[in-house]
Amino acid sequence: MADERGAELLRGGGGSHRATFLELFLDVVFVFAFTRVSQRLIDDVTAGGGRLPLELTQTLVLLLALWMVWSLTAWATSHYDPERPPIQAVMVGSMFGSLVMAVSVPAAYGPHGLSFAAGYVAIQLGRSIYLTVALRRHSQRHLSGRILVWSGVSAVFWLGGGLVGDDARLLCWAVALVIDYVGVVIGWPVPRLGRAAATAWTVTGEHLAERYQQFTIIALGEMIFVAGVGFSGSDFTLLRWIALVDAFATTVLLWRIYFHRAGSVLAEAVAQARQPARLGQSATWTHLTMIAGIVTTAVGYEVAISEPGGHADVVRVAAIVGGPALFVVGRSRFEYEVFGRVSLSRLVGLLLLVLGVPLLSRLPLIGMAVGVTAVLTGMAVADALRARGRPPERPASPM
């Protein structure tokens, strides 16, 4: 009887595999969280100074923590039935914990460090404890039990980091993140139970793919939000209008490049894969790379809007050119995961972005941004020409 009650929490063969409204509600919190991360990056870039590399590393740690929360929640709702009240309770708890983390981001390395860490730990430990108890004696409880052990170890560093000074806090949180991410990669091994193989996660391909697609849209929407806020708070000069149009065009191009075939057939690729969970796990890292690229691009274009005729220093080049380049790297890997190959346009575009840095860095910020947009436009046009007159390519994942 206890096994049957625990099995009720798992996704069955029936029912909708689409994302629920509560999951979309959770994403709203992450829209806010992303704006906080972007604002931190903008402050870092505009302030400059000798501590810039350290401050950028601090912000990266916060982004990785938020991604860990979202990705594990997405995997949980793909493995468990999000229509069940216990799973909905997990999602509501994750939603509030994510909100606590988001509001703490601006001063996470100051007075709000403990609240950021407490929000993260509450989500990770709370989810695992709740599921371990709710699953009763079902065999799947060992999966949440493994995660609970690893989350308990990392919690020591998260909470300890929230109680110490800024530099020591970064070290503690970096160690905690390494523990959490290594646990995901190697399957959270614990004594006697061993590790959980990727096949232990029975994921719903359509649902998991839709969650990745939605999060990518969130990141792109946040890019428009950052550009719009930056523009509305400045004088409406001609150069700033050009920068705003260019930022919008870049956002549309990133959307187009992501969804052109690979992004649109991800659900089918996961469903057809011999090991769907393995493909889903690999897609987690590629989407993390693309999301980081989009967030960085948003920062670069906000700076270009506020200072269109500004000087292109190393940090601004890294944001305006490096962000799209990072996105293309992730998108290239994503294409391989879905089709087993990488388009020539991806490689040529990435090469142009990298080799074009010496030339682009000589231009004002608006010129650099337009140059990057031109490369992305060429990539999107090449995709359209390659697909013209041909039947839609079907996924052929090597995984």
Side-chain angles (χ1 to χ4, degrees):
M1 180 66 69
D3 287 353
E4 293 178 0
R5 291 179 181 176
E8 292 177 352
L9 300 182
L10 302 176
R11 278 186 177 269
S16 174
H17 292 164
R18 304 296 302 273
T20 63
F21 291 119
L22 187 57
E23 290 174 278
L24 299 179
F25 195 15
L26 170 69
D27 290 345
V28 173
V29 177
F30 278 87
V31 172
F32 173 67
F34 266 29
T35 62
R36 298 299 85 202
V37 172
S38 294
Q39 189 57 54
R40 270 193 66 100
L41 282 171
I42 292 168
D43 293 342
D44 293 342
V45 171
T46 54
R51 287 178 57 87
L52 180 59
L54 178 63
E55 292 168 352
L56 292 176
T57 303
Q58 290 175 343
T59 305
L60 176 62
V61 167
L62 302 180
L63 176 62
L64 291 175
L66 288 166
W67 174 256
M68 174 62 71
V69 167
W70 184 89
S71 60
L72 282 184
T73 303
W75 274 73
T77 53
S78 188
H79 183 66
Y80 303 102
D81 187 352
E83 298 290 350
R84 295 288 179 178
I87 306 304
Q88 291 178 339
V90 170
M91 294 174 60
V92 171
S94 299
M95 192 184 309
F96 181 72
S98 301
L99 179 61
V100 171
M101 293 173 66
V103 298
S104 304
V105 163
Y109 290 92
H112 300 159
L114 186 58
S115 63
F116 181 89
Y120 181 90
V121 170
I123 295 170
Q124 298 294 81
L125 286 181
R127 182 200 303 115
S128 299
I129 293 173
Y130 191 88
L131 289 174
T132 300
V133 174
L135 287 169
R136 301 175 184 267
R137 290 194 297 272
H138 193 277
S139 59
Q140 286 293 319
R141 74 190 298 265
H142 294 308
L143 181 59
S144 57
R146 291 183 179 94
I147 300 175
L148 175 60
V149 172
W150 279 71
S151 296
V153 174
S154 71
V156 175
F157 293 94
W158 279 112
L159 296 176
L163 296 172
V164 298
D166 292 3
D167 294 343
R169 179 171 301 169
L170 175 60
L171 178 60
C172 288
W173 286 358
V175 172
L177 270 181
V178 169
I179 293 172
D180 288 333
Y181 275 84
V182 168
V184 172
V185 172
I186 65 176
W188 306 282
V190 296
R192 300 203 314 185
L193 291 179
R195 70 182 186 91
T199 52
W201 289 92
T202 53
V203 298
T204 306
E206 181 182 359
H207 174 269
L208 190 61
E210 186 174 321
R211 296 300 289 136
Y212 285 138
Q213 293 164 345
Q214 289 166 351
F215 203 76
T216 303
I217 291 295
I218 287 174
L220 292 171
E222 185 269 344
M223 185 173 170
I224 291 179
F225 177 86
V226 169
V229 169
F231 182 80
S232 63
S234 63
D235 296 330
F236 286 17
T237 64
L238 177 60
L239 284 180
R240 288 198 173 100
W241 274 110
I242 295 174
L244 178 64
V245 172
D246 188 61
F248 179 77
T250 297
T251 305
V252 173
L253 287 167
L254 294 179
W255 163 81
R256 167 68 179 176
I257 292 169
Y258 173 82
F259 278 102
H260 182 69
R261 298 312 297 156
S264 60
V265 299
L266 176 59
E268 186 178 346
V270 175
Q272 293 180 0
R274 285 174 294 178
Q275 295 185 15
R278 184 184 171 200
L279 174 56
Q281 187 181 60
S282 181
T284 298
W285 308 118
T286 54
H287 279 78
L288 172 58
T289 304
M290 288 187 285
I291 296 301
I294 292 171
V295 171
T296 305
T297 303
V299 173
Y301 277 81
E302 198 281 339
V303 173
I305 289 173
S306 62
E307 309 172 39
H311 174 66
D313 58 19
V314 174
V315 177
R316 287 165 173 78
V317 171
I320 297 175
V321 182
L326 186 60
F327 173 85
V328 173
V329 169
R331 181 57 177 77
S332 299
R333 169 66 182 176
F334 182 44
E335 188 172 27
Y336 173 78
E337 291 168 340
V338 174
F339 295 115
R341 51 95 182 143
V342 178
S343 299
L344 181 61
S345 63
R346 306 281 178 262
L347 302 178
V348 172
L350 184 60
L351 192 63
L352 288 175
L353 289 174
V354 174
L355 297 182
V357 167
L359 174 61
L360 292 173
S361 60
R362 297 173 180 268
L363 303 175
L365 297 184
I366 181 61
M368 184 190 309
V370 170
V372 170
T373 305
V375 174
L376 295 177
T377 300
M379 198 177 300
V381 170
D383 289 343
L385 292 176
R386 186 177 66 251
R388 186 177 181 180
R390 298 180 182 180
E393 184 178 5
R394 311 313 307 171
S397 175
M399 299 181 180

PDB file of all heavy atoms in Angstrom, residues 116-129:
ATOM      1  N   PHE A 116      20.266  34.707   1.007  1.00  0.00           N
ATOM      2  CA  PHE A 116      20.441  34.025  -0.274  1.00  0.00           C
ATOM      3  C   PHE A 116      20.763  32.552  -0.039  1.00  0.00           C
ATOM      4  O   PHE A 116      20.159  31.664  -0.651  1.00  0.00           O
ATOM      5  CB  PHE A 116      21.556  34.681  -1.079  1.00  0.00           C
ATOM      6  CG  PHE A 116      21.788  34.055  -2.433  1.00  0.00           C
ATOM      7  CD1 PHE A 116      21.079  34.500  -3.539  1.00  0.00           C
ATOM      8  CD2 PHE A 116      22.695  33.013  -2.607  1.00  0.00           C
ATOM      9  CE1 PHE A 116      21.266  33.918  -4.797  1.00  0.00           C
ATOM     10  CE2 PHE A 116      22.898  32.427  -3.850  1.00  0.00           C
ATOM     11  CZ  PHE A 116      22.169  32.880  -4.939  1.00  0.00           C
ATOM     12  N   ALA A 117      21.710  32.288   0.852  1.00  0.00           N
ATOM     13  CA  ALA A 117      22.104  30.902   1.139  1.00  0.00           C
ATOM     14  C   ALA A 117      20.957  30.123   1.765  1.00  0.00           C
ATOM     15  O   ALA A 117      20.733  28.952   1.420  1.00  0.00           O
ATOM     16  CB  ALA A 117      23.322  30.895   2.056  1.00  0.00           C
ATOM     17  N   ALA A 118      20.226  30.759   2.669  1.00  0.00           N
ATOM     18  CA  ALA A 118      19.114  30.075   3.332  1.00  0.00           C
ATOM     19  C   ALA A 118      18.020  29.715   2.331  1.00  0.00           C
ATOM     20  O   ALA A 118      17.423  28.632   2.402  1.00  0.00           O
ATOM     21  CB  ALA A 118      18.548  30.954   4.445  1.00  0.00           C
ATOM     22  N   GLY A 119      17.741  30.623   1.377  1.00  0.00           N
ATOM     23  CA  GLY A 119      16.749  30.315   0.348  1.00  0.00           C
ATOM     24  C   GLY A 119      17.163  29.123  -0.489  1.00  0.00           C
ATOM     25  O   GLY A 119      16.355  28.228  -0.769  1.00  0.00           O
ATOM     26  N   TYR A 120      18.439  29.084  -0.879  1.00  0.00           N
ATOM     27  CA  TYR A 120      18.949  27.977  -1.692  1.00  0.00           C
ATOM     28  C   TYR A 120      18.885  26.659  -0.918  1.00  0.00           C
ATOM     29  O   TYR A 120      18.384  25.647  -1.422  1.00  0.00           O
ATOM     30  CB  TYR A 120      20.381  28.270  -2.108  1.00  0.00           C
ATOM     31  CG  TYR A 120      21.012  27.206  -2.977  1.00  0.00           C
ATOM     32  CD1 TYR A 120      20.919  27.265  -4.362  1.00  0.00           C
ATOM     33  CD2 TYR A 120      21.700  26.125  -2.413  1.00  0.00           C
ATOM     34  CE1 TYR A 120      21.488  26.285  -5.163  1.00  0.00           C
ATOM     35  CE2 TYR A 120      22.275  25.146  -3.207  1.00  0.00           C
ATOM     36  CZ  TYR A 120      22.163  25.227  -4.578  1.00  0.00           C
ATOM     37  OH  TYR A 120      22.721  24.247  -5.367  1.00  0.00           O
ATOM     38  N   VAL A 121      19.378  26.673   0.298  1.00  0.00           N
ATOM     39  CA  VAL A 121      19.418  25.442   1.111  1.00  0.00           C
ATOM     40  C   VAL A 121      18.009  24.947   1.404  1.00  0.00           C
ATOM     41  O   VAL A 121      17.738  23.732   1.374  1.00  0.00           O
ATOM     42  CB  VAL A 121      20.202  25.697   2.414  1.00  0.00           C
ATOM     43  CG1 VAL A 121      20.036  24.521   3.383  1.00  0.00           C
ATOM     44  CG2 VAL A 121      21.677  25.910   2.103  1.00  0.00           C
ATOM     45  N   ALA A 122      17.091  25.872   1.700  1.00  0.00           N
ATOM     46  CA  ALA A 122      15.719  25.472   1.995  1.00  0.00           C
ATOM     47  C   ALA A 122      15.087  24.755   0.805  1.00  0.00           C
ATOM     48  O   ALA A 122      14.357  23.769   0.981  1.00  0.00           O
ATOM     49  CB  ALA A 122      14.888  26.699   2.375  1.00  0.00           C
ATOM     50  N   ILE A 123      15.367  25.234  -0.401  1.00  0.00           N
ATOM     51  CA  ILE A 123      14.817  24.587  -1.598  1.00  0.00           C
ATOM     52  C   ILE A 123      15.420  23.194  -1.774  1.00  0.00           C
ATOM     53  O   ILE A 123      14.704  22.198  -1.948  1.00  0.00           O
ATOM     54  CB  ILE A 123      15.089  25.424  -2.850  1.00  0.00           C
ATOM     55  CG1 ILE A 123      14.347  26.751  -2.777  1.00  0.00           C
ATOM     56  CG2 ILE A 123      14.671  24.660  -4.114  1.00  0.00           C
ATOM     57  CD1 ILE A 123      14.741  27.727  -3.862  1.00  0.00           C
ATOM     58  N   GLN A 124      16.747  23.113  -1.747  1.00  0.00           N
ATOM     59  CA  GLN A 124      17.416  21.848  -2.033  1.00  0.00           C
ATOM     60  C   GLN A 124      17.134  20.785  -0.969  1.00  0.00           C
ATOM     61  O   GLN A 124      16.822  19.631  -1.300  1.00  0.00           O
ATOM     62  CB  GLN A 124      18.934  22.088  -2.149  1.00  0.00           C
ATOM     63  CG  GLN A 124      19.351  23.026  -3.279  1.00  0.00           C
ATOM     64  CD  GLN A 124      19.071  22.467  -4.647  1.00  0.00           C
ATOM     65  OE1 GLN A 124      17.947  22.541  -5.132  1.00  0.00           O
ATOM     66  NE2 GLN A 124      20.081  21.897  -5.279  1.00  0.00           N
ATOM     67  N   LEU A 125      17.240  21.165   0.301  1.00  0.00           N
ATOM     68  CA  LEU A 125      16.970  20.209   1.368  1.00  0.00           C
ATOM     69  C   LEU A 125      15.480  19.932   1.490  1.00  0.00           C
ATOM     70  O   LEU A 125      15.062  18.781   1.675  1.00  0.00           O
ATOM     71  CB  LEU A 125      17.512  20.730   2.699  1.00  0.00           C
ATOM     72  CG  LEU A 125      19.026  20.702   2.895  1.00  0.00           C
ATOM     73  CD1 LEU A 125      19.388  21.228   4.278  1.00  0.00           C
ATOM     74  CD2 LEU A 125      19.580  19.291   2.730  1.00  0.00           C
ATOM     75  N   GLY A 126      14.682  21.008   1.406  1.00  0.00           N
ATOM     76  CA  GLY A 126      13.245  20.832   1.572  1.00  0.00           C
ATOM     77  C   GLY A 126      12.652  19.914   0.524  1.00  0.00           C
ATOM     78  O   GLY A 126      11.829  19.038   0.839  1.00  0.00           O
ATOM     79  N   ARG A 127      13.047  20.087  -0.743  1.00  0.00           N
ATOM     80  CA  ARG A 127      12.535  19.233  -1.808  1.00  0.00           C
ATOM     81  C   ARG A 127      12.891  17.772  -1.550  1.00  0.00           C
ATOM     82  O   ARG A 127      12.043  16.877  -1.660  1.00  0.00           O
ATOM     83  CB  ARG A 127      13.105  19.673  -3.158  1.00  0.00           C
ATOM     84  CG  ARG A 127      12.578  18.864  -4.324  1.00  0.00           C
ATOM     85  CD  ARG A 127      13.457  18.955  -5.568  1.00  0.00           C
ATOM     86  NE  ARG A 127      13.660  20.296  -6.027  1.00  0.00           N
ATOM     87  CZ  ARG A 127      14.840  20.913  -6.039  1.00  0.00           C
ATOM     88  NH1 ARG A 127      15.916  20.266  -5.583  1.00  0.00           N
ATOM     89  NH2 ARG A 127      14.965  22.143  -6.484  1.00  0.00           N
ATOM     90  N   SER A 128      14.151  17.534  -1.207  1.00  0.00           N
ATOM     91  CA  SER A 128      14.610  16.156  -1.025  1.00  0.00           C
ATOM     92  C   SER A 128      13.962  15.493   0.189  1.00  0.00           C
ATOM     93  O   SER A 128      13.561  14.321   0.133  1.00  0.00           O
ATOM     94  CB  SER A 128      16.138  16.141  -0.877  1.00  0.00           C
ATOM     95  OG  SER A 128      16.756  16.655  -2.039  1.00  0.00           O
ATOM     96  N   ILE A 129      13.876  16.219   1.291  1.00  0.00           N
ATOM     97  CA  ILE A 129      13.253  15.654   2.500  1.00  0.00           C
ATOM     98  C   ILE A 129      11.784  15.346   2.242  1.00  0.00           C
ATOM     99  O   ILE A 129      11.278  14.267   2.573  1.00  0.00           O
ATOM    100  CB  ILE A 129      13.398  16.629   3.685  1.00  0.00           C
ATOM    101  CG1 ILE A 129      14.862  16.754   4.094  1.00  0.00           C
ATOM    102  CG2 ILE A 129      12.553  16.168   4.875  1.00  0.00           C
ATOM    103  CD1 ILE A 129      15.115  17.816   5.151  1.00  0.00           C
TER     104      ILE A 129
END
